[in-house]
Structures are given as structure tokens and as C-alpha cells.
Amino acid sequence: MNLRRRHILFVFLLVLLSACTPKVPGEYIQPGDMEDILYDYFVSQGMAREEDDGGRVMDYRRELYFDAVLKKYDVTRAEFDSSLVYYYTRADRFVKIWKNVQDRLGEAAIDYGASAGEVETFTARSLTGDTANIWNGVFSQALVPYAPYNRLQYSIQADTAFRKGDSFMLTWYSNFLYQSGSKDAVAYMAIRYKNDSIASQTVHFSTDGFSQLRMDGCDEPVKEVKGFVYLGQGYESTSAMRMLILSNIQLIRFHKKADVVKEPEPMKSEADSLSQVPDSLRPRHHRLGERPNNIQPITR
């Protein structure tokens, strides 16, 4: 095959591949623009949380920041919602967009001074000290209520930095993007010990905001900490968009504080006890240099 034929075949393959690649209809936000909007949306919600003073004020601020993002891209709330529903029904495309958003968030955080281990993946590392973030998964994740995109799993193997009595706390920030339907998400944690016994804990959550799941330790060496966050279908059968965005995911390990053993006090002799009594309170015959009147000196 000569060079000209190879060139023609290469062009033909490119045309064939592009023809097989499904296009996003023009009435929806295109993937690149959707990525930019989600990135700015995520940043804006983080800003709202940083300024959190609780209650309705924060909810208002989050909505205000989101409206500013939509205005920046000249997109209405209806256009954003319909586009999100479109990508929601094509989860493979949304996963690609979300992965790009995660990468950009990680790069931006590093530019602002965070370490790589604090941003996208928190690699398990042997840290001394009473607390350490041992999370080794993604910093943020979007879940939809059907497999395989409805579950975030994690597993951390114990290393030499783990100690008997360690306790653990999984923390995250949740944001439910629901058109309708009941919200039902579950976080699960299990601790496997060296003797293969297992302790576990489960917590349900259904509102936006900060959540946590904590497990106290026991006097056994830890072998593994694992679990998952799962987004359920809810009670209603609906085709409406239902999405959960998890962010700022951390798994904190707490060392048990060492028990302080109090040394027993040495037994005091009668003389030591008397030496601490004020002279004015001692019996007269115990005062220094004096004898009781009824005791006569020995004479020969």
C-alpha cells in the first residue's frame, strides 16, 4: 500500500469514527460548556459554604451565586435543568464531564497552595499525631440512583501508623439536585480487626449540607476500614432527574489518648506526718526540745 492510499484510508477511518460518535442535540448545553458551568457552579457553592452563617442566609447565598454562574454563560435555569436531565439519562457522558471537572478542581486547588494529597486523592500515609486524614479516594463524586453510578466505595488498609483504640470519622458535604422524588442516601462504614471481627455503622442522610459518620475504636489492632455511600431509588417510581453531589470527602483517624497512670503515693511514717502538722497544733510533748511533765529523766 503506497503513501497516498494510506492517507485516504486514514481520512476514511476518521470520518467513520466521527459519524459513529453521537452528537449532543443543539437545544442542550454542549459538553465543553457544561463542564465549564459545573466547574464554576462547584466553586460558587464552595464560596457560599465558606461564608456560611447558617440557616436561610446560606441557602439564599448559594442560589445567588448559582444565578451569577448562569448569567456568566448566558444560560437560563430551564436550559441548565433540561441539559442536566439530558446528560443524566446518558450517565457515561456525564461521568466524562464530571471527571474533567474533578481534574480542574484539583489543579486549581494546587495553584492556590494545597498539596496534591489534600485535593483530588488523599493517599494513605503514615502520619504521626493524634489525627490524620487517611482518605484515599476522589475528593468529590456525583451519584445517580441506578447502577453502577449509584455507589461510591472505599477501602483503606491499615499500616504501621494505626494503633489499638483508633476511632474513625467519615465526613462529606452533600448537595441533592432533584426535580422530584424522595431523597434517600446511605453512608456505611465497617472496621475489620486483626482477629477478623467486624464492627459497622450506618447513617441515612437526605438534606444538603455537612454530614458525618463516626465509629469508636476498640482495644484490637485494625486491619481494614471500608464502606460506601449509596444513593437509593426512593419510594416513588419516577424518571425525573435525581443526582447527589458529594464533595470535601474525608476519613479522619483519631488516636486514642493514652491513659495517665497515677503513681501511688509512698506511705508516710508517723514522724513524716507529724512534721507536716503546724507546731501550734502538736501535743506539747511533741514540740521540739520539750518533754512531757510526767516523764522524769533517767538518773543513776
Side-chain angles (χ1 to χ4, degrees), residues 71-83:
K71 184 176 181 180
K72 173 182 176 181
Y73 293 95
D74 194 22
V75 172
T76 66
R77 180 67 70 98
E79 290 171 336
F80 175 78
D81 289 344
S82 63
S83 298

Side-chain angles (χ1 to χ4, degrees), residues 87-149:
Y87 288 107
Y88 168 80
T89 59
R90 294 157 180 81
D92 54 337
R93 293 190 181 184
F94 183 79
V95 167
K96 293 179 180 178
I97 293 174
W98 186 254
K99 179 62 170 62
N100 293 337
V101 172
Q102 287 180 322
D103 292 341
R104 290 175 60 181
L105 289 170
E107 293 171 0
I110 292 174
D111 289 340
Y112 281 104
S115 67
E118 293 172 329
V119 181
E120 186 59 28
T121 57
F122 292 90
T123 55
R125 48 196 186 271
S126 299
L127 297 180
T128 58
D130 292 334
T131 62
N133 183 7
I134 61 172
W135 180 251
N136 63 357
V138 294
F139 174 74
S140 57
Q141 182 67 50
L143 302 179
V144 293
Y146 52 86
Y149 309 109

